C-alpha cells in the first residue's frame, strides 16, 4: 500500500509556527474576549439541577450548534451506558437491542451517519461498520459528552447527522486535590423468571480516583466500571414474504407478482422464542497529566472496554414451506397472506423446528492517546496528538435444531411429515397459532436433534492517527484568532468467516444421523403471561447434547472452499462453503486532511457576533483485498489458493482494488448576541460520512462470455464506494433565563443529501479501467476464433443519485423553579420535542407487495421529558422518552429492514444523601415494560413483538 508523505507538510507547518512566533515578539498581546463569559454569574446548586445548569452553560458558550452533557449529569443519573445518557438530549433517539439502547439516531439519521470521537480522536467499532456501539462506553468513566449538530473546520470529518464527542477525565482540571468515588448497585429483571435458565440478578460496580501531586503539576486519574446484567426477552418474529402462490383461486389479482398476477405473497414463516443470557462489561480508564511549566501540558490516556455476551434463543421456528404447501382458509391483507391453515405436501418442506441457538460475542475496544499542548507565546498555541483506536469482535453464532420424528426410539427414525399449521396474524398484537404436532414438541420420544452449526464472524478494526494543530491569537476587529492544522490516519479493517455444520435442518440425514435425546439433556419449557397459549417445547442442554453427539469433541469451524467450483480435491466435503473465503478479507483506508479556520469576534453596531469560518480538505485512499473469479485462466493471473485446511481452488486471482478522492468541506458558524441572555445562531456547511467500512470489503467477480466476448461481473460490496455528502443549514434561537436557572431553545435544520448506497446494474462498466484483470480477446470454443471482449454489466453497490432533504425543528425547555416558595423551589423540568421529515424513501417487499418506507432511523416525532424534584438530601425524577414509528433493522434468520412502531420508554429514579459522602439510590428502567414492535410496511403484517422486562437497580454511592 502507498503511504502519504508527511515530511513536506510537517515542515511547512513548523515553519508557519516559527513565523507566527516571530510576529508575536513585536505584536500587541491584547485579545478580544466575549463579554458574556466575564459577566456569567455562578449559581450554587446541587444534584440534577446543577448538572442541567452546567450543560446549558456549556451549550451557551460553544461556537457551534451543539448539545452538552456535564460530568455531574452523567454521575447523577447512573445510565447503563453512554447510549442511555445521550438519548436525553434534543433530537437524539436510540434503537433498543435486547432492551438496551446501543445505536443512537441524530435528527432522523441512523448510526451510520454519526461520527464519534473519544478525547477528540476517531473511534473504530466492533460492529463492522463505522458507527460505534455506545453501550461499550460506561457512563461512569466518561466525564463529559457533546453532540455537534453543526460542524466546524477543526472537527474531524465524518458526521452527516452529527459528531458525538466523549471525554474522559483530565485530573489537573479537577477542583479537588483528591477525589474518590465508589458506586455499587444490585440489579433485577422482572421477566427473567419467565425464561428457563435465565439469570434474574445482576450488579454494577465502579470506582474512580483523581489526584494532583507535585504542587499540582502532576495529575492522575484511574477508573474501573463493571456491569453484569441478565439479558432476557420473550418474542414473536414474523419472517419475510419471499415467495408467492395462488391461494384463493382468483385469476389476475390486483398487485400480484409481475409474472404471475394470480398469485398471493406468502411468508417464509415465523418464530416463537425465549431469549436469555448474560452481559458482562469491564471498562478501564487511566490518564496522567504533567504540567512542569505554566505553558506546557503533556497528557497520556487509556480507555479499555471488554464486553462479553453469552446468550441463547430457544423456542419454535415455523417454516411454512413456500409454494409446495397447501393453503386453505387464507386471510389476506391486500395481496399478502396473514393467516391460513397450512399443510405439508409429499414434495414439500413445511415443518416446525425446535430451536436451541447459542450465541457468544466477545468484544474488545482499546483507545490510547498522547497529547502535548504548548503555549509557545501569549498568542501562539501548538497541539500535537498521537492516537491508536482498536476494536476486535469475535461473534460465534451457534445453532442446535431439532425436528419431530414419527418415533425417536427406533433404530432408523424417520421425519414426521404429517404437519399442519394454523396461524392468524393480529397486527401489533400476538398472533393466534395452532399445531397438530403441539404435543410432540415436548416429548423426547418424538423430538430428535437434526443439525448443529456454528458460524463465527471475526472482525478487527484499527486506526492510528497523527494530528498537529496551531492557534494564533489576532489583534483584529473581526477575527480573534486563526486555527490551522493537519491530520493523517491509517486504518485497516479485516473480516474472517468460518463454518462448521453437521446434520440437516429439513430432514434426518443418513450420513450424519440425528441425536436421540435423553431426560438429562432436556427441560420442558412452558410459556407464561401473554404468551402462555403457545405450545410447550424442549430446552436442550447444548453441552450435554454435543458431548453425546460428538464424544471425541465437536470439530472447530474452518475457513474453507468446501466443494466449490474450481476445487481440486474437496476432501470429502459435499457443500459449497466458498462464501467463507470470499467474504473474508481486508480494507485499507488512508486519510490526509488539513484545515484553516478563522474565529470570529466582532460587532455589528453594538451587537457582538461570534463564530468561525473555515474549510477542510480531505484526501482519501481506500482499497480492499478481493478474490476475483477468472475461471482458472492462467493468462488472467489465476492462482492456486489454499484454504485453512489445505483445499486448493484454481479459479481465482487475488487482487487489491480501490479508489482515491479529494473533498473540500467549507463551514460557517455565526452567533449573534441579541441581548445579554438571548442569542441567535446560524450555521452552514458541507459534510460527509464515509460508507460502512464492511461495505468496502471486496467480493467481486468478472468474467467474459466465451461466445459473445461480453464481460459481466458482480459484487455485493464495492471498494469504489464514495462517501455520503450533504449540504446543511442550521438556525437556533436560544434564550437563557435570569440567574442561569433554565433556557428556551428553538432550532431548525435542513440537510440536502446527495446520495445513498443502492445495488444496481451498471451497463458498459469499464472493468479494466477499474482494476479488473480481464482479457482483450477470448477464444470462441466452437469456432476457435479470437473474439474481442466488450464491457458488459456490473452489478454492485453504488452511490445512487436518489438523495433528498431532511428537515426539522427542535424545541427544548429547561426550568429549575427556584423562584417557587419552599418546599416547591426544588421542582424542575427538562424537556424537548423534535419534528423531522424527509423526502428520502426506499422500497421494501418484505411484506409481499412493494411499498415505500422512510429513511432508516427517522421518527417524525421525538419527545423527551424529565420532571425532577429535590428537597434537602432527597431527589427524585421521572424520565419519559417517546419516538414515533421509524425504520430500522430487525434481526431474524437474516437481517430485515422493517418498520418499527412508536414506543414510549419510562425510567424512574430516586435517591437520598445520608451524608456528604454517602448516598443510596433506587432506579427502575423501562418502568412500563414497553415492548418493541415492528411490521412489514403495513401494521397488519407483523414483524416483531418483543418484551424485555423492567430493570430495577438498588445501591449506594460513596465519594470522598
Amino acid at each position: 500500500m502507498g503511504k502519504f508523505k508527511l515530511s513536506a507538510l510537517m515542515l511547512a507547518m513548523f515553519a508557519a509556527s516559527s513565523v507566527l512566533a516571530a510576529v508575536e515578539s513585536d505584536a500587541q498581546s491584547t485579545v478580544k474576549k466575549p463579554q458574556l463569559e466575564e459577566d456569567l454569574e455562578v449559581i450554587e446548586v446541587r444534584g440534577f439541577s446543577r448538572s442541567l445548569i452546567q450543560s446549558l452553560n456549556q451549550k451557551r458558550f460553544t461556537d457551534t450548534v451543539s448539545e452538552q452533557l456535564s460530568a455531574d449529569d452523567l454521575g447523577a443519573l447512573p445510565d447503563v451506558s453512554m447510549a442511555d445518557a445521550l438519548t436525553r438530549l434534543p433530537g437524539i433517539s436510540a434503537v433498543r437491542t435486547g432492551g438496551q439502547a446501543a445505536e443512537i439516531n441524530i435528527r432522523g439519521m441512523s448510526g451510520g451517519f454519526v461520527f464519534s470521537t473519544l478525547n477528540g480522536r476517531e473511534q473504530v467499532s466492533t460492529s463492522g461498520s463505522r458507527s460505534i456501539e455506545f453501550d461499550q462506553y460506561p457512563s461512569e468513566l466518561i466525564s463529559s459528552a457533546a453532540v455537534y449538530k453543526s460542524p466546524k473546520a477543526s472537527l474531524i470529518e465524518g458526521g452527516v447527522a452529527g459528531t458525538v464527542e466523549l471525554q474522559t477525565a483530565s485530573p489537573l482540571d479537577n477542583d479537588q486535590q483528591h477525589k474518590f468515588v465508589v458506586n455499587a448497585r444490585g440489579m433485577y429483571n422482572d421477566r427473567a423468571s419467565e425464561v428457563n435458565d435465565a439469570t434474574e440478578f445482576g450488579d454494577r460496580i465502579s470506582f474512580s480516583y483523581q489526584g494532583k501531586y507535585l504542587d499540582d503539576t502532576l495529575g492522575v486519574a484511574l477508573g474501573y466500571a463493571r456491569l453484569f446484567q441478565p439479558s432476557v426477552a420473550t418474542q414473536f418474529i414474523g419472517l419475510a414474504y419471499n415467495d408467492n402462490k395462488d391461494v384463493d383461486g382468483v385469476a389476475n389479482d390486483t398487485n400480484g407478482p409481475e409474472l404471475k398476477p394470480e398469485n398471493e405473497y406468502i411468508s417464509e414463516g415465523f418464530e416463537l422464542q425465549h431469549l436469555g443470557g448474560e452481559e458482562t462489561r469491564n471498562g478501564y480508564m487511566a490518564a496522567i497529566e504533567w504540567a512542569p511549566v505554566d505553558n506546557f501540558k503533556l497528557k497520556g490516556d487509556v480507555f479499555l472496554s471488554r464486553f462479553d455476551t453469552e446468550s441463547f434463543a430457544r423456542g419454535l421456528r415455523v417454516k411454512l414451506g413456500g409454494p409446495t404447501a397447501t393453503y386453505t382458509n387464507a386471510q389476506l391483507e391486500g395481496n399478502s397472506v396473514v393467516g391460513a391453515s397450512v399443510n405439508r405436501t409429499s414434495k414439500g418442506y413445511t415443518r416446525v423446528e425446535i430451536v436451541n441457538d447459542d450465541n457468544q460475542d466477545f468484544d474488545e475496544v482499546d483507545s490510547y492517546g498522547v497529547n502535548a499542548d504548548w503555549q509557545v507565546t501569549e498568542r501562539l498555541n501548538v497541539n500535537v496528538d498521537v492516537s491508536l483506536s482498536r476494536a476486535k469482535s469475535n461473534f460465534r453464532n451457534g445453532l442446535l435444531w431439532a425436528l419431530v420424528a414419527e418415533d425417536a426410539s427406533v433404530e432408523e427414525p424417520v421425519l414426521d411429515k404429517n404437519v399442519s399449521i394454523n396461524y392468524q396474524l393480529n397486527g401489533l398484537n400476538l398472533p393466534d397459532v395452532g399445531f397438530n404436532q403441539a404435543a410432540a414438541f415436548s416429548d423426547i420420544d418424538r423430538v430428535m436433534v437434526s443439525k448443529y452449526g456454528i458460524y463465527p464472524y471475526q472482525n478487527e478494526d484499527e486506526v492510528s492517527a497523527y494530528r498537529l494543530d496551531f492557534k494564533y491569537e489576532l489583534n483584529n476587529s473581526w477575527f480573534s484568532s486563526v486555527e490551522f492544522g493537519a491530520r493523517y490516519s491509517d486504518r485497516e479493517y479485516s473480516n474472517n468467516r468460518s463454518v462448521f455444520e453437521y446434520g440437516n435442518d429439513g430432514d434426518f440425514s443418513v450420513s450424519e444421523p440425528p441425536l436421540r435425546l435423553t431426560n438429562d439433556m432436556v427441560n420442558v419449557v412452558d410459556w407464561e403471561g401473554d404468551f402462555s397459549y403457545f405450545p410447550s417445547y424442549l430446552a436442550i442442554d447444548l453441552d450435554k447434547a454435543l458431548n453425546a453427539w460428538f464424544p471425541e469433541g465437536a470439530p472447530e469451524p474452518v475457513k474453507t472452499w468446501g466443494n466449490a467450483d474450481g476445487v481440486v480435491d474437496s476432501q470429502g466435503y459435499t457443500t459449497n462453503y466458498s462464501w467463507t473465503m470470499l467474504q473474508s478479507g481486508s480494507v485499507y483506508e488512508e486519510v490526509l486532511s488539513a484545515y484553516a479556520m478563522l474565529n470570529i469576534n466582532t460587532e455589528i453596531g453594538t451587537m457582538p457576533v461570534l463564530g468561525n469560518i473555515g474549510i477542510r480538505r480531505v484526501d482519501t485512499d481506500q482499497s480492499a483485498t478481493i478474490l476475483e473469479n477468472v475461471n482458472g485462466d492462467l493468462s488472467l493471473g489465476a492462482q492456486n489458493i489454499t484454504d485453512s485446511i489445505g483445499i486448493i481452488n484454481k479459479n481465482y486471482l487475488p487482487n487489491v482494488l480501490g479508489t482515491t478522492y479529494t473533498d473540500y468541506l467549507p463551514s460557517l458558524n455565526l452567533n449573534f448576541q441579541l441581548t445579554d441572555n438571548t442569542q441567535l445562531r446560524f450555521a452552514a456547511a458541507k459534510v460527509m460520512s464515509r460508507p460502512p467500512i464492511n461495505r468496502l470489503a471486496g467480493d467481486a467477480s468478472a468474467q467474459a462470455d466465451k461466445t459473445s466476448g461480453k464481460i459481466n461481473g458482480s459484487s455485493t460490496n464495492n471498494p469504489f464506494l464514495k462517501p455520503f455528502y450533504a449540504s446543511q443549514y442550521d438556525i437556533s434561537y436560544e434564550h437563557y433565563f435570569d440567574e442561569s436557572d433554565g433556557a428556551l431553545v428553538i432550532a431548525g435544520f435542513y440537510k440536502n443529501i446527495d446520495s445513498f448506497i443502492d445495488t444496481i446494474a451498471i451497463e458498459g462498466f469499464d472493468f479494466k479501467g477499474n482494476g479488473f484483470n480481464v482479457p482483450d480477446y477470448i477464444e470462441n470454443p466452437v469456432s476457435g476464433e479470437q473474439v474481442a471482449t466488450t464491457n458488459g454489466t456490473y452489478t454492485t453497490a453504488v452511490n445512487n443519485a436518489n438523495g433528498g432533504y431532511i428537515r426539522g425543528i427542535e424545541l427544548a425547555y429547561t426550568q429549575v423553579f427556584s423562584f417557587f416558595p419552599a418546599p416547591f423551589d426544588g421542582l424542575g423540568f427538562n424537556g424537548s420535542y423534535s419534528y423531522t421529515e424527509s423526502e428520502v424513501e426506499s422500497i421494501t417487499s418484505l411484506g409481499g407487495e412493494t411499498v415505500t418506507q422512510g429513511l432508516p432511523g427517522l421518527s417524525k416525532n421525538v419527545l423527551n421529558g424529565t420532571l425532577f424534584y429535590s428537597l434537602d438530601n432527597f431527589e427524585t425524577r421521572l424520565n419519559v422518552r417517546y419516538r414515533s414509528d421509524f425504520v430500522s433493522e430487525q434481526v431474524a434468520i437474516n437481517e430485515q429492514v422493517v418498520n418499527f412502531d412508536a414506543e414510549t420508554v419510562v425510567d424512574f429514579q430516586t435517591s437520598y444523601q445520608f451524608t456528604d459522602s454517602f448516598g443510596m439510590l433506587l432506579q427502575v428502567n423501562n418502568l412500563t415494560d414497553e415492548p418493541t414492535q415492528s411490521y412489514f410496511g403495513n401494521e397488519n403484517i407483523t414483524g416483531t413483538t418483543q418484551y424485555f422486562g423492567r430493570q430495577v437497580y438498588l445501591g449506594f454511592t460513596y465519594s470522598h
Side-chain angles (χ1 to χ4, degrees), residues 125 600 732 791:
S125 172
I600 300 169
S732 175
N791 288 321

Side-chain angles (χ1 to χ4, degrees), residues 886-907:
F886 63 101
V887 172
S888 189
E889 285 187 354
Q890 162 194 298
V891 179
I893 292 179
N894 299 301
E895 292 182 347
Q896 303 174 154
V897 178
V898 300
N899 301 82
F900 280 80
D901 192 40
E903 63 181 25
T904 302
V905 180
V906 181
D907 297 336

Side-chain angles (χ1 to χ4, degrees), residues 723-751:
F724 310 94
Y725 298 101
S727 300
Q728 68 174 43
Y729 307 91
D730 290 86
I731 189 167
S732 175
Y733 172 84
E734 303 170 8
H735 176 69
Y736 296 88
F737 305 145
D738 290 336
E739 299 183 351
S740 297
D741 59 356
L744 173 66
V745 178
I746 304 172
F749 64 92
Y750 180 92
K751 297 176 185 285

Side-chain angles (χ1 to χ4, degrees), residues 540-573:
I540 301 172
D541 187 300
L542 178 67
D543 292 334
K544 290 181 179 179
L546 293 182
N547 288 337
W549 218 5
F550 307 102
E552 296 181 0
E556 285 295 312
V558 294
K559 182 168 70 174
T560 181
W561 293 109
N563 72 340
D565 290 341
V567 163
V568 176
D569 178 7
S570 66
Q571 298 184 12
Y573 275 87

Side-chain angles (χ1 to χ4, degrees), residues 168-220:
T168 57
S170 292
L172 289 181
D173 293 335
N174 191 28
D175 57 1
Q176 294 179 256
Q177 197 70 23
H178 299 280
K179 181 71 172 181
F180 184 72
V181 179
V182 178
N183 290 286
R185 299 179 181 93
M187 182 264 187
Y188 168 73
N189 187 297
D190 71 349
R191 274 193 179 264
S193 60
E194 298 181 5
V195 179
N196 183 65
D197 285 342
T199 303
E200 295 184 57
F201 297 96
D203 57 75
R204 290 180 64 194
I205 300 172
S206 68
F207 74 84
S208 62
Y209 167 75
Q210 295 186 66
K212 293 186 284 188
Y213 302 89
L214 304 179
D215 296 326
D216 294 348
T217 61
L218 181 68
V220 176

